[in-house]
Amino acid sequence: ETKERALSAGARRPANARPGRRPGRGQRGLLQQATIMTAETKVYTLEECKKHNTESDCWLIMFGKVYDVTKFLDDHPGGTEIMVDVTGRDATDDFEDVVHSATARKQLEGLYIGELHEDDKAKMRSAGVANAPAGASKASPQAAPNPAVTFIKAILPFLLIAVLFLYQKGSAAA
């Protein structure tokens, strides 16, 4: 009787639900997760994020997400100034331009405080598309850097020094 009332009141049974059975975990889980994400995820505007631009209160915007990095500033290997300098704008490219380890990427999860407002994401995307070279795409925060690229970036300074040393040695002998 209650099923009939629920169905007649406009409630729908999931397409993959079996008659006479309660929805399974998979059917119910997605809806619950979506509800929880919306109820618990804080959304911040770009203007609000711009206010958090000091060493005592520092938020970064990367990958469309907002991170409170204040507690991490003293531990950042590049120093506090680097992070404070990229507040109030999308710092995704700055983050990606430096080789960050998988551990560093994982640390972001603990600093996450919410999402950037969709309107501001759209503005940043359109500004990024206007400034990006053709065919450029943004990497996701979970994507690990290519090992070959990491190796080349690490070894390149040493190769340059070796070439300069051999050049000077050859010049001195001549």
Side-chain angles (χ1 to χ4, degrees), residues 67-91:
Y67 300 92
D68 182 350
V69 297
T70 309
K71 294 177 186 173
F72 179 70
L73 288 176
D74 291 334
D75 297 327
H76 187 255
T80 59
E81 188 176 315
I82 289 174
M83 294 180 77
V84 173
D85 285 348
V86 296
T87 58
R89 63 179 177 85
D90 186 359

Side-chain angles (χ1 to χ4, degrees), residues 25-36:
R25 182 180 189 148
Q27 298 160 350
R28 192 174 33 200
L30 291 176
L31 179 59
Q32 286 175 340
Q33 285 175 354
T35 305
I36 290 169

Side-chain angles (χ1 to χ4, degrees), residues 80-103:
T80 59
E81 188 176 315
I82 289 174
M83 294 180 77
V84 173
D85 285 348
V86 296
T87 58
R89 63 179 177 85
D90 186 359
T92 303
D93 289 340
D94 299 290
F95 182 83
E96 291 293 353
D97 286 345
V98 178
V99 179
H100 283 94
S101 65
T103 304

